[in-house]
Amino acid sequence: MRTTTRSGPHWTSDRGSAPIEAVFVLPVLLALALLFIAGARLSSAAGTTDAAAQAAARAASLARTPDAGQAAAVRAAERVLADQEQGCAGTAVEADTSGLAVPVGQASEVTVTVRCTVPLGDLFFLKGGPGTKTVESTFTSVVDAYRTRG
């Protein structure tokens, strides 16, 4: 059924207005959905990176030498990121294990920073294209003052 109204000397029709509205509304809804997905991906990556930094610092603080602490930190961070199936385009683990070199009886600490580069380009149909965000987390763990060191 065709609806027409008389407004002045011209006749108008409502036919065809729904497709025109869809042309304007659908891209906005799609952009909002992709923005929500990107935010969820970054939030998940931040939580996983926090857990990886914490596990890495704890593992490094249990080591007996600075070199062993470095290796333990990297292994622990990679294990947490893999277990959580965190899709990082790149990861970096930096461990300050100088606290493992202090003499027994002195308080010290180990600090680990984990970085995860989260890909976002695939959300905008640019597989492997631009659009990454690096999430970083740092955690410090106390080294037992009376634990023997190598």
Side-chain angles (χ1 to χ4, degrees):
M1 175 175 214
R2 188 168 174 206
T3 307
T4 57
T5 59
R6 173 109 172 132
S7 125
H10 304 285
W11 291 85
T12 60
S13 172
D14 288 340
R15 284 183 70 190
S17 64
I20 292 172
E21 290 173 7
V23 166
F24 291 109
V25 173
L26 287 178
V28 172
L29 292 177
L30 181 62
L32 288 174
L34 291 175
L35 188 62
F36 176 78
I37 293 169
R41 189 179 285 183
L42 289 173
S43 177
S44 173
T48 303
T49 304
D50 285 345
Q54 184 177 5
R58 180 69 180 141
S61 72
L62 295 175
R64 296 190 187 274
T65 64
D67 289 339
Q70 291 276 349
V74 170
R75 279 193 311 270
E78 288 176 350
R79 184 180 62 246
V80 170
L81 292 172
D83 288 349
Q84 297 292 323
E85 297 179 2
Q86 181 59 50
C88 297
T91 58
V93 179
E94 295 176 7
D96 176 10
T97 57
S98 60
L100 294 171
V102 301
V104 174
Q106 289 184 349
S108 63
E109 57 190 29
V110 172
T111 301
V112 176
T113 300
V114 177
R115 288 182 192 85
C116 171
T117 303
V118 182
L120 299 173
D122 59 333
L123 292 177
F124 304 102
F125 312 108
L126 302 171
K127 187 71 171 174
T132 60
K133 173 79 172 146
T134 301
V135 179
E136 179 180 310
S137 184
T138 301
F139 195 82
T140 301
S141 185
V142 175
V143 176
D144 184 3
Y146 298 103
R147 182 181 175 109
T148 60
R149 298 182 178 98

